[in-house]
């Protein structure tokens, strides 16, 4: 039983692809005689021909993979494509170190806990990469006895 023409007309009427046209297998004989668009419209109205829903793409696997990566899985050497500096650039690392140091120094200077000369000295030392982080710089300041009223 060839319903190719009926399927094509139904697809045009339903405004979808031919793959999405569902024809009731029990009423195929009656559709053989449906040769006009009006006949197809009647079949659609009766429920003999329907438009199937769009098949989406399941996100389940992706959600699971993301959850695993959040836990630190799937990040081993076999999954890496770039070099370590491509994945975590030197410049990015430097920015994450220097910005908090400079912010910290500004806070100390503006609150009057260190004088301008100390600020300039430690600013230059920070730029030279002397301190690993805020805590390290604060320890250095306390050891030198340069932190006033703290």
């Amino acid at each position: 039983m060839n319903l190719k023409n009926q399927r094509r007309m139904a697809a045009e009427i339903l405004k979808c692809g031919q793959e999405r046209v569902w024809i009731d297998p029990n009423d195929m004989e009656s559709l053989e005689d449906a040769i006009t668009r009006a006949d197809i419209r009647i079949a659609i109205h009766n429920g003999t021909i329907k438009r199937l829903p769009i098949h989406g793409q399941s996100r389940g696997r992706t959600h699971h993979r993301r959850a695993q990566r959040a836990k630190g899985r799937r990040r081993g050497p076999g999954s890496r494509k770039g070099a370590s500096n491509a994945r975590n650039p030197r410049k990015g690392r430097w920015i994450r170190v220097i910005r908090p140091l400079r912010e910290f120094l500004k806070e100390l200077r503006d609150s009057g806990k260190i004088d301008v000369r100390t600020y300039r000295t430690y600013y230059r030392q920070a730029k030279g990469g002397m301190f690993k982080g805020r805590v390290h710089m604060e320890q250095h300041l306390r050891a030198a006895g340069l932190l006033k009223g703290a």
Side-chain angles (χ1 to χ4, degrees):
M1 186 174 319
N2 187 9
L3 299 175
K4 199 172 179 182
N5 205 33
Q6 285 83 339
R7 186 178 289 278
R8 181 188 55 76
M9 280 195 287
E12 284 180 29
I13 293 165
L14 293 168
K15 292 186 173 62
C16 68
Q18 291 180 30
E19 292 293 314
R20 278 181 65 202
V21 174
W22 176 83
I23 298 171
D24 189 355
N26 303 324
D27 291 340
M28 282 186 164
E29 286 83 25
S30 62
L31 276 177
E32 257 187 323
D33 304 330
I35 55 169
T36 65
R37 283 167 176 272
D39 295 336
I40 299 296
R41 281 194 191 93
I42 291 164
I44 291 167
H45 183 73
N46 294 341
T48 308
I49 297 174
K50 289 180 185 169
R51 184 197 302 137
L52 292 172
I54 293 171
H55 289 296
Q57 203 171 48
S58 171
R59 298 285 299 161
R61 289 180 298 278
T62 305
H63 292 316
H64 181 256
R65 204 175 302 121
R66 283 240 176 98
Q68 290 294 84
R69 282 187 141 219
K71 285 193 277 183
R73 314 282 192 272
R74 307 179 73 96
R75 290 188 181 273
S79 303
R80 296 178 198 166
K81 283 231 167 161
S84 63
N85 288 317
R87 291 167 65 87
N88 187 15
R90 286 189 189 97
K91 186 174 180 176
R93 272 183 303 203
W94 172 248
I95 288 169
R96 284 194 297 276
V97 169
I98 198 68
R99 282 184 182 170
L101 290 178
R102 287 177 175 168
E103 213 173 273
F104 180 56
L105 280 171
K106 278 180 199 139
E107 281 172 28
L108 293 175
R109 183 194 60 193
D110 294 343
S111 64
K113 288 183 179 174
I114 58 170
D115 60 343
V116 178
R117 282 184 74 178
T118 308
Y119 169 80
R120 290 298 338 150
T121 307
Y122 275 79
Y123 190 96
R124 278 192 233 104
Q125 287 175 353
K127 184 181 174 143
M130 188 169 167
F131 309 110
K132 289 185 283 187
R134 280 177 78 136
V135 175
H136 187 211
M137 181 186 270
E138 194 173 355
Q139 286 171 348
H140 204 276
L141 282 161
R142 284 189 195 289
L146 295 168
L147 226 50
K148 297 175 203 161

